[in-house]
Amino acid sequence: MTDALKRLSDEGVAIWLDDLSRTRITSGNLAELIDQQHVVGVTTNPSIFQKAISQGSGYDAQLADLAVREVTVEEAVRMITTADVRDAADILRPVFDATQGQDGRVSIEVDPRLAHRTEATIAEAKQLAWLVDRPNTLIKIPATKAGLPAITETIGRGISVNVTLIFSLERYREVMDAYISGLEKAKAAGLDLSKIHSVASFFVSRVDTEIDKRLDALGTPEAKEARGKAALANARLAYEAYEEVFSSDRWAVLDRAQANKQRPLWASTGVKDPAYKDTLYVDELVAPNTVNTMPEATLEATADHGAITGDTVRGTYDQARADLAAVAALGISYDDVVQLLEDEGVEKFEASWNDLLKSTEAELKRLAPSEG
């Protein structure tokens, strides 16, 4: 086995695992991945927790206690998910200390039903930070229009944030602006900027899935030629925007105050189309100061046969623009695609959250003490 994961890390890509469960924590598997597979962070989302709680018996003891106390389903979900994140954060704490807080982080998401409510999102972010109570946590806030001011306010209070569900280049620039505005608020409040971190989760595979579907419907040779190029082009142009924003005069002021750049995080990097190499969104998105959060299958595939050949992002911007222009020339609207993906992303996480509530409610009833 080649050590492609080490080469990826050496290129400046932080490898995070896009999964978490109680069993992964208690079995020692997470610690093993950190020790042997260069994993330096963990991301979670409602879908991940719904899957974890609905499978196996790892949560039975805690659920039984919660059932005896007759807590609400919402409270039970928060107790369970924050316990997992707290324990994972403790396992990753040595990485956090070794990297001066850049890595060794675990992300937990605000209730996705609040995605279009700014004040409620801020309140939830504060509550989650308090509940988990670990310095190496990132609170996930979606990059909706209502999420942008919530990001600024949360960062301004010194809470580190993972901005999620970014699909468009325009929205990504708004996210970076929201982060910088938050740091400016934090600086004005006298907070230590070196302690505030953020990543911007730019979604990859879903862009190809949606655009390829539209290209297949066209069925022309030009459409066939354009398949599988839009997602990489989109992500690479996001990195170009990152380089531009974080070399600006506005950023220089914060840089002198020891602020941390908001790293691009490549999310949704599991390949959906079997026609594509299963490490496509890892091999082709190698650039300094980025994060790639991978499902375990993608992590294992990269370890086994990833082709890490150095920086595969910088120097590709003209080709990336040409690839997106080719899609637009076929009548496929970029703006329509990215808006649809954002809307669907929020809806999917909300549906997963509702499924999580239903699964937890069923478990609480199953484990509730019988009367008498």
Side-chain angles (χ1 to χ4, degrees):
M1 183 181 289
T2 61
D3 203 346
L5 294 173
K6 182 180 187 303
R7 289 205 300 280
L8 191 61
S9 298
D10 290 345
E11 290 290 343
V13 181
I15 299 166
W16 291 7
L17 177 71
D18 193 26
D19 190 54
L20 187 63
S21 68
R22 186 72 48 91
T23 304
R24 196 181 282 284
I25 292 165
T26 57
S27 67
N29 172 262
L30 178 58
E32 188 176 283
L33 291 174
I34 295 163
D35 184 50
Q36 298 178 14
Q37 300 283 53
H38 307 280
V39 169
V40 293
V42 167
T43 48
T44 68
N45 61 46
S47 302
I48 285 168
F49 280 125
Q50 192 277 328
K51 181 182 170 188
I53 291 172
S54 63
Q55 294 178 354
S57 58
Y59 295 91
D60 280 7
Q62 187 179 10
L63 280 161
D65 288 344
L66 292 166
V68 171
R69 289 174 51 213
E70 298 180 354
V71 303
T72 65
V73 177
E74 277 86 356
E75 184 182 352
V77 165
R78 276 304 178 218
M79 291 301 102
I80 290 164
T81 56
T82 55
D84 276 1
V85 169
R86 193 180 305 117
D87 289 345
D90 288 344
I91 293 168
L92 278 155
R93 184 60 191 261
V95 177
F96 174 81
D97 292 337
T99 60
Q100 288 75 52
Q102 179 162 266
D103 287 307
R105 290 186 172 269
V106 186
S107 297
I108 185 168
E109 190 145 353
V110 297
D111 184 335
R113 296 172 298 181
L114 308 177
H116 302 296
R117 297 170 55 198
T118 301
E119 292 304 322
T121 295
I122 295 165
E124 172 96 342
K126 288 159 57 182
Q127 172 76 355
L128 280 174
W130 177 82
L131 266 176
V132 176
D133 193 28
R134 294 293 185 273
N136 51 329
T137 310
L138 290 170
I139 307 302
K140 287 180 86 171
I141 297 176
T144 56
K145 277 293 186 185
L148 295 171
I151 293 158
T152 295
E153 185 62 30
T154 304
I155 291 290
R157 291 172 179 267
I159 298 170
S160 294
V161 171
N162 175 344
V163 184
T164 188
L165 290 176
I166 308 170
F167 295 95
S168 83
L169 295 167
E170 179 184 3
R171 183 57 53 84
Y172 177 45
R173 286 183 179 274
E174 291 173 338
V175 164
M176 290 187 283
D177 180 73
Y179 173 61
I180 291 172
S181 296
L183 287 177
E184 288 166 345
K185 289 186 77 162
K187 184 171 181 282
L191 300 182
D192 181 355
L193 300 192
S194 71
K195 298 282 193 278
I196 304 171
H197 287 259
S198 183
V199 293
S201 294
F202 201 87
F203 279 54
V204 186
S205 68
R206 293 187 197 180
V207 174
D208 269 344
T209 301
E210 181 59 32
I211 289 181
D212 284 357
K213 182 172 74 177
R214 299 183 186 204
L215 291 168
D216 290 345
L218 291 173
T220 64
E222 293 82 4
K224 189 175 181 182
E225 176 62 26
R227 286 184 99 259
K229 296 178 180 178
L232 289 175
N234 200 37
R236 286 164 169 172
L237 292 175
Y239 193 82
E240 181 186 40
Y242 156 80
E243 288 187 303
E244 179 189 316
V245 169
F246 290 102
S247 60
S248 66
D249 292 342
R250 183 185 180 195
W251 176 251
V253 175
L254 295 166
D255 187 54
R256 287 193 290 272
Q258 276 74 56
N260 299 290
K261 293 177 180 178
Q262 181 186 53
R263 287 183 293 172
L265 179 151
W266 311 127
S268 182
T269 55
V271 173
K272 309 289 195 293
D273 190 331
Y276 303 150
K277 186 184 177 187
D278 55 1
T279 60
L280 176 68
Y281 304 126
V282 179
D283 298 349
E284 299 299 331
L285 289 174
V286 178
N289 209 37
T290 57
V291 180
N292 195 312
T293 188
M294 308 179 201
E296 189 168 21
T298 305
L299 182 76
E300 290 174 351
T302 303
D304 182 62
H305 53 262
I308 309 304
T309 56
D311 190 329
T312 50
V313 173
R314 291 182 295 184
T316 67
Y317 305 142
D318 288 344
Q319 184 60 52
R321 271 186 279 276
D323 288 341
L324 288 185
V327 170
L330 292 167
I332 295 172
S333 167
Y334 175 87
D335 291 342
D336 180 67
V337 167
V338 293
Q339 187 59 57
L340 174 72
L341 290 172
E342 180 186 307
D343 294 343
E344 284 184 349
V346 172
E347 287 167 12
K348 284 175 182 174
F349 278 171
E350 191 171 324
S352 295
W353 188 261
N354 288 328
D355 288 344
L356 173 57
L357 293 174
K358 286 175 193 167
S359 297
T360 304
E361 185 174 35
E363 291 297 291
L364 288 170
K365 284 179 180 172
R366 181 176 69 84
L367 296 164
S370 55
E371 295 185 14

